[in-house]
Amino acid sequence: MTQSPSPPRFSATLPATGKPTYLGMWTWLFQRASSLILMVLLPWHWVNPYSRPVRIAVLFFVIFHAAAGVRVMLTDFGLAERWHRGLAWTLAGAGLITFLYFALRYA
C-alpha cells in the first residue's frame, strides 16, 4: 500500500499559478508595506514628536522592518532552508520583546 502525500501546511494559494504561499513571501510583502507606512509615519512624527500613538506606531514598524531585513540578510548569506521558518518566528519573537520593552518603558 502506498502512502498518500501529506496535505500542504497552508491552504492559501497564489491566484495566477495556484502554487502555495509561504511564510517568507508574506514576510517580504509585509516588509515592503512597512516601508511605505514608515514613509508616511516619519514625517508625521517629525511634525508631532510628542504624540504617543505616532511614537508607538513608528517603533512597531521600525522594529518589524529591521527584523525582516535581518531575515533577508541571513537567508542571502546562505542559511539552510530548513531554518527559514524558525528564523522568521525567532525574529518575530525577539522583535515583539524589543517592541514591548521600549513601548512600555519609553513611549
Side-chain angles (χ1 to χ4, degrees):
M1 189 175 250
T2 61
Q3 188 177 12
S4 63
S6 62
R9 288 186 171 187
F10 300 106
S11 61
T13 58
L14 296 173
T17 62
K19 293 181 180 178
T21 58
Y22 297 102
L23 182 63
M25 184 206 65
W26 289 111
T27 306
W28 177 84
L29 188 65
F30 290 143
Q31 184 187 24
R32 297 305 182 254
S34 73
S35 68
L36 296 174
I37 292 168
L38 282 170
M39 288 173 52
V40 172
L41 280 176
L42 287 177
W44 189 10
H45 177 61
W46 289 328
V47 170
N48 192 4
Y50 299 109
S51 173
R52 183 178 170 91
V54 174
R55 286 187 305 183
I56 289 176
V58 168
L59 178 66
F60 174 79
F61 285 109
V62 164
I63 289 174
F64 175 80
H65 192 79
V70 168
R71 186 196 70 83
V72 168
M73 285 190 301
L74 290 175
T75 56
D76 283 348
F77 280 125
L79 184 71
E81 191 171 335
R82 66 182 179 172
W83 298 102
H84 287 197
R85 179 176 300 278
L87 175 66
W89 287 113
T90 301
L91 289 172
L96 180 64
I97 290 168
T98 304
F99 169 74
L100 290 174
Y101 173 77
F102 285 105
L104 295 175
R105 186 169 177 118
Y106 297 108

